């Protein structure tokens, strides 16, 4: 097969290295290599298919929402749940709707300190009246003695002693009143009414004539369950 000079187009022999007309060096041309075809009747290898075809990305898995957690003891299930804990600052009895003391027995006061100088627990009418009369008797006897001593020393000094005695008696009196209010299922701060004119009379009638809460309440067991 003859080649042609790329410069002048002169036909060249197959083994010629220079053009006889213009002297241009002959450059051998490399025929293109035909694409390798897969013989008929054969199957392409997996590697060939992997290189020739683009694999589709896998479909994303559907997102399943997590199940909702149910409380073990719901606060409400058609009706109030009495076993639920109280809210912060809430009395256990008021949170549940009944006394937090259940069938706990009432513990009687055993000494002077427990009888006159405590403001927790409850005090029924009989104990309240008897202890109040005891305080009145102590005040009368002590004021008579201190008054006579003050008369011998100085009248102003005797008046001061009786005034201090009144303050000393007021402390256990307020303690008894608070416990009596607890027996009526009332808060202790109601005792402030004892210092307000007219209201103190109504409060005295209330604590003297109204019976306490039957059974336990939020302040303690029923004091009528025992006697002392």
């Amino acid at each position: 097969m003859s080649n042609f000079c790329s410069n002048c187009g002169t036909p060249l022999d197959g083994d010629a290295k220079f053009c006889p007309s213009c002297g241009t060096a002959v450059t051998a041309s490399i025929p293109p290599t035909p694409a390798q075809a897969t013989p008929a009747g054969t199957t392409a290898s997996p590697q060939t298919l992997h290189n020739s075809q683009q694999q589709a990305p896998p479909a994303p898995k559907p997102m399943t929402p997590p199940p909702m957690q149910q409380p073990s003891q719901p606060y409400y299930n058609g009706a109030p749940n009495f076993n639920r804990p109280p809210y912060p600052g809430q009395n256990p009895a008021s949170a549940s709707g009944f006394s937090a003391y259940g069938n706990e027995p009432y513990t009687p006061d055993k000494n002077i300190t427990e009888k006159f100088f405590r403001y927790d627990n409850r005090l029924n009418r009989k104990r309240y009246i008897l202890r109040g009369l005891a305080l009145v008797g102590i005040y009368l006897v002590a004021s008579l003695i201190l008054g006579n001593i003050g008369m011998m020393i100085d009248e102003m000094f005797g008046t001061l002693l009786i005034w201090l005695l009144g303050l000393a008696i007021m402390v256990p009196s307020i303690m008894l009143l608070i416990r009596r209010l607890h027996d009526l299922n009332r808060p202790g701060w109601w005792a402030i009414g004892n210092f307000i004119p007219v209201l103190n009379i109504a409060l005295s009638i209330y604590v003297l004539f109204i019976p306490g809460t039957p059974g336990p309440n939020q302040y303690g067991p029923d004091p009528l369950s025992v006697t002392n």
Side-chain angles (χ1 to χ4, degrees):
M1 180 178 180
S2 299
N3 295 327
F4 297 91
C5 177
S6 59
N7 184 30
C8 62
T10 303
L12 302 175
D13 294 334
D15 55 350
K17 296 182 178 180
F18 296 96
C19 177
S21 300
C22 62
T24 303
V26 177
T27 302
S29 59
I30 301 174
T33 303
Q36 296 182 357
T38 302
T42 61
T43 304
S45 64
Q47 183 67 25
T48 304
L49 294 176
H50 175 74
N51 296 334
S52 61
Q53 298 179 359
Q54 183 179 2
Q55 295 182 355
K61 297 181 179 180
M63 299 295 295
T64 304
M68 298 181 61
Q69 296 182 357
Q70 298 294 334
S72 58
Q73 292 184 354
Y75 283 167
Y76 291 95
N77 186 14
N81 182 7
F82 293 129
N83 294 325
R84 70 181 187 269
Y87 299 107
Q90 186 179 19
N91 189 282
S94 60
S96 60
F98 56 90
S99 174
Y101 294 91
N103 295 324
E104 180 181 347
Y106 180 81
T107 303
D109 302 323
K110 299 178 181 179
N111 50 50
I112 298 298
T113 301
E114 291 183 356
K115 290 183 178 181
F116 294 97
F117 295 97
R118 61 181 296 188
Y119 56 88
D120 60 328
N121 215 325
R122 298 168 57 180
L123 197 66
N124 62 305
R125 284 183 294 174
K126 180 180 178 180
R127 293 185 178 96
Y128 176 73
I129 293 173
L130 292 178
R131 295 177 190 182
L133 291 176
L135 290 178
V136 172
I138 293 173
Y139 176 77
L140 293 177
V141 173
S143 61
L144 181 61
I145 296 174
L146 293 177
N148 291 331
I149 294 175
M151 291 295 294
M152 292 185 296
I153 299 176
D154 183 75
E155 183 177 357
M156 184 63 66
F157 179 71
T159 303
L160 179 61
L161 290 179
I162 295 176
W163 185 77
L164 293 176
L165 176 64
L167 289 179
I169 294 296
M170 184 183 299
V171 174
S173 299
I174 297 299
M175 299 290 183
L176 294 177
L177 178 58
I178 291 176
R179 296 182 64 187
R180 177 68 187 122
L181 289 170
H182 287 173
D183 187 45
L184 296 163
N185 205 25
R186 304 301 179 186
W189 62 265
W190 277 32
I192 299 176
N194 193 50
F195 302 97
I196 302 176
V198 180
L199 184 59
N200 57 356
I201 299 175
L203 182 62
S204 299
I205 296 174
Y206 178 67
V207 298
L208 288 175
F209 295 99
I210 303 300
T213 304
N217 63 13
Q218 61 178 321
Y219 297 102
D222 191 351
L224 294 179
S225 59
V226 295
T227 57
N228 64 336

